[in-house]
Amino acid sequence: MDILQTVHENAYEADPYAKEFRISIDNKLTSVEARVLPSPWLKFHDTGKEKEHQPQVGQWNMMNKKVIDGSVIRYWACINFSRNVQESIARGFCQQLVQMCQISGMEFNPDPAIPIYSARPDQVKKALKFVYGAVYNKNEGKELDLLIAILPDNNGSLYGDLKRICETELGLISQCCLTKHVFKKSRQYLANVSLKINVKMGGRNTVLLDALRARIPLVSDIPTIIFGADVTHPESGEDSLPSIAAVVASQDWPEVTKYAGLVCAQPHREELIQDLFKTWKDPHRGTVAGGMIRELLLSFKKATGQKPLRIIFYRDGVSEGQFYQVLLHELDAIRKACASLEPSYQPPVTFIIVQKRHHTRLFASNHNDRSSTDKSGNILPGTVVDSKICHPTEFDFYLCSHAGIQGTSRPAHYHVLWDENNFSADEIQSLTNNLCYTYARCTRSVSVVPPAYYAHLAAYRARFYVEPDAQENAKRCCTRTTNGSCVRPLPALKERVKNVMFYC
């Protein structure tokens, strides 16, 4: 109604400029053909009552199901930064969280490695180092597996400081919980947190059944790596802070559900990812090759025992005007990274741009037909449009892979810029839709393909790694990029957190 009202108020038929250029604008919405892709079957652990499940309308729950790969947590601790939470309440919350993790299929020691430790928010570094050291000393050199942190509801910079210290200084995996949730202790909240803890600790929540049965076209036949990449820019007015690029890549095959991520700082507002591939001179080894793509290809080989023979690259956050500039630069970097491992190694690449910032909205043609909408009245998850409103000659489509919660669903726009794997429209649409059901942090299909979503989260998380005094020190401590700009590098991530920092 809002859109139609605006068109009516603009009165294009009476506009002299529209008449002069012979432009006519319809006052009704355009009718387009769409189809709804089926949701994929998901596999859970065989010890649960429900071993397989097909989600209905883009969502499911973990009742009667267990995570397919439960992680093991032997040494854990809790730091309480909230003055409002007494120790008995914190202890009760931790016990319920542990029980929920155990019900979900994880092996979780019911007792913390040390008693719950209370600390002031302004003593975050001191508290983290104390707990880390106390567990290490008490358990004869055994490191902490997981840290649970209870934070005040309004915690300012505490969350960011805690994540920065844990992930760049101590190599600790942490799970933060707000005070309001600690008091509520809702089962739904505890179930969601247990899913996050499982993936942070190296487990898997669910896997596509078709992946296990080797039935995903152009993924299951040969080792395939799926990349996601994004660049986030500082807020307008922040002229000295760098942009941050993140790249994640799948680390398992044929399941394609586990990812590893890398982040790097680059010049302010630079959209092309600078560190995909780089070389430098070493006084002892000569020319050395590196970069994010190369590192992720190597970690895929280490994790699976095979080098990827096909690459699918989802790139988020590119405007239409930069499509081919990004393709040219980043495809070249992928090629060079592969060749640096082995001169003849050139796996075929499919390069897909993902866009959420656009003005296209899709509505069911019969809004009163409840079978053609979800609970919120939006189009059904899995709805694909690839004609009439798409590019006349290029390979693009709109996919609404998620169920709406509030407002009007915004479909994602996927643009296949380069395809050496010869995907048919059906194959790439079905793969993209199915991947949206493998997002680890909730029991819903998500609106953007998970590798691109994880890259976005990783880039956002890395903002916390730019230390508070970064602006003052930026000029003193920085590295020059190829175009001569001065960028302060991000602190190195500890090995343990590289594969989990984007699960937040």
Side-chain angles (χ1 to χ4, degrees):
M1 291 304 294
D2 211 21
I3 292 167
L4 292 173
Q5 179 70 24
T6 305
V7 171
H8 175 71
E9 284 170 4
N10 287 356
Y12 292 111
E13 67 280 355
D15 188 289
Y17 296 103
K19 277 183 185 166
E20 185 73 29
F21 284 92
R22 295 183 192 161
I23 293 171
S24 61
I25 292 167
D26 203 332
N27 56 9
K28 294 191 293 294
L29 297 180
T30 301
S31 178
V32 293
E33 280 189 9
R35 58 206 178 101
V36 181
L37 302 176
S39 59
W41 279 85
L42 302 177
K43 179 77 178 82
F44 296 92
H45 200 274
D46 288 338
T47 55
K49 280 186 188 172
E50 255 192 288
K51 300 170 181 59
E52 295 166 8
H53 180 78
Q54 186 178 29
Q56 301 302 308
V57 199
Q59 48 195 324
W60 63 100
N61 60 47
M62 291 300 288
M63 277 169 65
N64 302 325
K65 303 175 195 73
K66 291 197 173 185
V67 295
I68 191 160
D69 289 332
S71 53
V72 179
I73 297 163
R74 292 198 177 89
Y75 303 104
W76 62 277
C78 174
I79 301 183
N80 177 13
F81 287 104
S82 177
R83 280 190 313 182
N84 301 340
V85 178
Q86 289 90 24
E87 193 181 327
S88 57
I89 292 170
R91 201 180 315 116
F93 172 77
C94 288
Q95 280 169 355
Q96 284 189 275
L97 182 57
V98 168
Q99 282 167 7
M100 183 58 82
C101 289
Q102 290 168 337
I103 291 165
S104 302
M106 295 159 65
E107 202 180 305
F108 207 125
N109 181 349
D111 302 311
I114 59 169
I116 290 171
Y117 183 76
S118 294
R120 285 175 24 207
D122 58 354
Q123 302 280 317
V124 59
K125 193 165 192 170
K126 189 177 165 188
L128 289 170
K129 288 192 169 176
F130 173 79
V131 168
Y132 180 79
V135 173
Y136 189 84
N137 296 333
K138 188 182 174 187
N139 296 294
E140 295 159 12
K142 296 280 194 303
E143 288 197 347
L144 199 58
D145 291 325
L146 175 72
L147 174 74
I148 296 168
I150 297 171
L151 310 185
D153 292 333
N154 298 314
N155 56 70
S157 66
L158 175 60
Y159 177 82
D161 292 342
L162 184 142
K163 291 294 182 184
R164 188 186 76 249
I165 296 160
C166 284
E167 292 167 7
T168 65
E169 294 182 31
L170 301 175
L172 263 182
I173 292 169
S174 57
Q175 176 60 55
C176 296
C177 303
L178 291 175
T179 299
K180 60 183 178 186
H181 299 306
V182 171
F183 281 120
K184 259 192 202 164
K185 295 188 196 127
S186 90
R187 284 185 68 78
Q188 183 63 61
Y189 174 76
L190 294 170
N192 285 349
V193 172
S194 70
L195 291 181
K196 287 173 73 171
I197 289 173
N198 187 46
V199 290
K200 286 179 183 185
M201 297 307 301
R204 281 194 197 94
N205 294 338
T206 184
V207 169
L208 295 171
L209 191 59
D210 277 356
L212 295 179
R213 293 182 177 169
R215 289 199 309 227
I216 301 179
L218 293 166
V219 171
S220 300
D221 53 344
I222 56 171
T224 300
I225 186 168
I226 302 180
F227 283 93
D230 191 17
V231 178
T232 66
H233 304 292
E235 292 169 13
S236 52
E238 291 282 8
D239 295 335
S240 57
L241 290 179
S243 290
I244 290 174
V247 180
V248 306
S250 57
Q251 298 293 292
D252 54 350
W253 179 81
E255 299 93 341
V256 291
T257 49
K258 272 188 178 178
Y259 290 82
L262 295 169
V263 288
C264 71
Q266 57 184 44
H268 181 74
R269 296 263 152 207
E270 174 60 72
E271 187 52 59
L272 307 179
I273 301 176
Q274 302 295 299
D275 276 4
L276 287 183
F277 177 72
K278 57 185 179 181
T279 55
W280 64 93
K281 290 273 190 290
D282 183 274
H284 306 294
R285 294 182 294 163
T287 303
V288 181
M292 296 197 280
I293 298 283
R294 191 177 194 274
E295 203 173 316
L296 290 166
L297 290 171
L298 287 169
S299 65
F300 179 94
K301 184 164 188 210
K302 191 178 171 187
T304 63
Q306 305 178 80
K307 63 183 178 189
L309 299 177
R310 180 186 290 119
I311 293 174
I312 300 168
F313 196 97
Y314 286 99
R315 176 68 156 91
D316 196 359
V318 182
S319 60
E320 224 163 304
Q322 289 187 299
F323 275 9
Y324 290 97
Q325 196 184 353
V326 167
L327 175 67
L328 212 64
H329 173 83
E330 297 181 6
L331 190 60
D332 183 53
I334 295 168
R335 292 249 187 279
K336 285 176 178 168
C338 293
S340 74
L341 297 169
E342 212 175 288
S344 60
Y345 175 50
Q346 286 299 323
V349 178
T350 297
F351 195 101
I352 306 157
I353 301 277
V354 189
Q355 287 177 306
K356 277 295 293 279
R357 292 187 178 184
H358 56 74
H359 296 287
T360 302
R361 301 291 181 273
L362 303 170
F363 304 92
S365 54
N366 180 2
H367 197 73
N368 299 318
D369 176 10
R370 300 310 292 167
S371 65
S372 64
T373 62
D374 60 22
K375 275 186 201 164
S376 64
N378 279 292
I379 52 173
L380 291 168
T383 301
V384 169
V385 174
D386 58 7
S387 60
K388 206 164 182 182
I389 57 170
C390 293
H391 198 282
T393 56
E394 291 176 10
F395 186 177
D396 70 319
F397 59 92
Y398 287 93
L399 169 65
C400 181
S401 51
H402 67 298
I405 297 173
Q406 192 176 16
T408 304
S409 293
R410 185 186 301 190
H413 189 193
Y414 294 91
H415 217 110
V416 183
L417 292 190
W418 189 262
D419 182 26
E420 294 171 334
N421 292 299
N422 300 318
F423 274 97
S424 68
D426 283 358
E427 285 166 342
I428 196 70
Q429 288 165 9
S430 175
L431 170 65
T432 303
N433 185 55
N434 290 353
L435 285 173
C436 290
Y437 285 80
T438 65
Y439 184 67
R441 303 198 318 160
C442 60
T443 53
R444 302 175 69 92
S445 65
V446 287
S447 60
V448 168
V449 71
Y453 204 145
Y454 291 145
H456 178 77
L457 292 172
Y460 186 76
R461 160 59 57 80
R463 283 254 159 255
F464 295 132
Y465 303 158
V466 181
E467 293 186 43
D469 60 346
Q471 281 153 299
E472 287 77 11
N473 293 348
K475 293 186 179 71
R476 264 192 305 125
C477 166
C478 67
T479 10
R480 295 230 164 251
T481 59
T482 44
N483 63 5
S485 330
C486 187
V487 177
R488 187 184 194 205
L490 295 171
L493 280 175
K494 295 292 180 187
E495 205 57 43
R496 266 190 82 200
V497 299
K498 273 184 187 172
N499 297 10
V500 298
M501 49 84 85
F502 42 83
Y503 294 126
C504 295

